[in-house]
Amino acid sequence: MSRALATSDPSQGSRPVLQALPADLDPTRLPAHVAVIMDGNGRWARRRNLPRVMGHREGVEALKRTLRLCSDWGIGALTAYAFSTENWSRPGEEVSFLMALFERVLARELEGLEREQVRIRFFGDLQQLPTGLQELIASAEARTANNVGIHFNVCTNYGGRRELVRAARRLADQVARGELDPAAIDEAAFAAELHTAGESDPDLLIRTSGEQRISNFLLWQLAYAELHVTDVLWPDFDAQSLTLALQDYQGRQRRFGGVDPVSP
Ligand code: IPE
Ligand code: IPE
Ligand code: MG
């Protein structure tokens, strides 16, 4: 996929050259899928005496930066938490700003994503989003569906519990229609009804701004993810922050319930 990006015609846009993987990272032991809880936009703005929404605007830049780095470094999928099912409880102006921001950014970035072979998808209860945004999402997903580059998943009006309930209901519907035997429901059948169907589970979860919680993100999929919490606020997240997260990941011994190969 990096090759696809490397050979894209530079005259077609302002894309900078490919960023090399830092020498202290092992290219053979990168996570295939990175998930990120992009937190701390409000605090970033407050520290600068700016309105919270300025933090969200700057957060978009951090997301673009992170996507490009993950793509250049050969990470297969990036899943970002942009708006939770609980975030509707924020002040109306902030929610409206975020919805307008998602729409504006997607419209602006779509051509570049297409050119760079990014496959974008949106996970969540999309029907509650403004109609214009829903239409743009449908078009972005369709236009990038056959792209061969990084899988970029944006969780918007996403809640892990809501996703699990939806999966249960979809399976129940199949049972009620006589198409599915309840005894045939196993973990694979359940996973196939989640938004993430077909995507590998995240290997690494990054949460910025120091909060040590999951906040209803990917409850099923994070079962064995390695967790990296950094105090860096999301708008400040950069190549160095990502490198530190990946170094932390590469230092972990993943056991999946087993024992270390070197254990007595
Ligand atoms: C994360 O930043 C962005 C969204 C949840 C949309 P916050 O807006 O939660 O920032 P803090 O946590 O208030 O600093
Ligand atoms: C999690 O951040 C949701 C997103 C990043 C979209 P929040 O700021 O909403 O999480 P809490 O409220 O601190 O748990
Ligand atoms: Mg927050």
Side-chain angles (χ1 to χ4, degrees), residues 38-43 52 56 82 87 90 94 98:
M38 310 184 286
D39 199 13
N41 293 352
R43 277 163 281 175
R52 288 178 55 83
H56 297 317
N87 287 149
R90 295 185 177 208
E94 182 171 344
L98 281 167

Side-chain angles (χ1 to χ4, degrees), residues 37-46 52-53 55-56 59 81-84 87 90 94 98 102 207-209 211 213 233-235:
I37 301 178
M38 310 184 286
D39 199 13
N41 293 352
R43 277 163 281 175
W44 183 92
R46 200 166 57 224
R52 288 178 55 83
V53 295
H56 297 317
Y81 205 5
F83 192 89
S84 75
N87 287 149
R90 295 185 177 208
E94 182 171 344
L98 281 167
F102 296 153
R207 181 162 188 157
T208 55
S209 87
E211 308 295 355
R213 54 177 170 262
L233 302 176
W234 177 249

Side-chain angles (χ1 to χ4, degrees), residues 31-173:
H33 184 172
V34 173
V36 57
I37 301 178
M38 310 184 286
D39 199 13
N41 293 352
R43 277 163 281 175
W44 183 92
R46 200 166 57 224
R47 282 182 196 175
R48 287 164 177 74
N49 274 320
L50 295 168
R52 288 178 55 83
V53 295
M54 296 302 282
H56 297 317
R57 248 175 52 175
E58 205 55 35
V60 171
E61 299 310 310
L63 181 56
K64 284 167 58 180
R65 200 154 60 224
T66 305
L67 174 64
R68 180 154 286 154
L69 287 165
C70 286
S71 175
D72 287 0
W73 293 353
I75 289 165
L78 174 69
T79 299
Y81 205 5
F83 192 89
S84 75
T85 47
E86 288 72 35
N87 287 149
W88 296 104
S89 66
R90 295 185 177 208
E93 316 86 74
E94 182 171 344
V95 170
S96 308
F97 180 92
L98 281 167
M99 293 301 150
L101 182 70
F102 296 153
E103 199 166 328
R104 198 165 62 239
V105 171
L106 185 55
R108 190 179 70 206
E109 300 297 330
L110 184 53
E111 220 179 283
L113 295 171
E114 270 188 293
R115 192 170 56 239
E116 295 179 22
Q117 286 297 317
V118 174
R119 191 195 76 180
I120 190 167
R121 290 198 296 166
F122 287 79
F123 296 161
D125 196 346
L126 305 183
Q127 282 164 4
Q128 282 182 353
L129 300 176
T131 323
L133 179 56
Q134 284 186 49
E135 286 167 4
L136 202 52
I137 285 174
S139 137
E141 290 189 339
R143 279 168 60 177
T144 65
N146 296 320
N147 282 358
V148 297
I150 190 168
H151 294 180
F152 178 37
N153 308 311
V154 186
C155 296
T156 314
N157 193 23
Y158 173 88
R161 288 184 170 179
R162 191 173 296 187
E163 181 185 35
L164 293 171
V165 168
R166 173 179 173 269
R169 195 176 285 156
R170 285 159 68 103
L171 290 166
D173 279 345

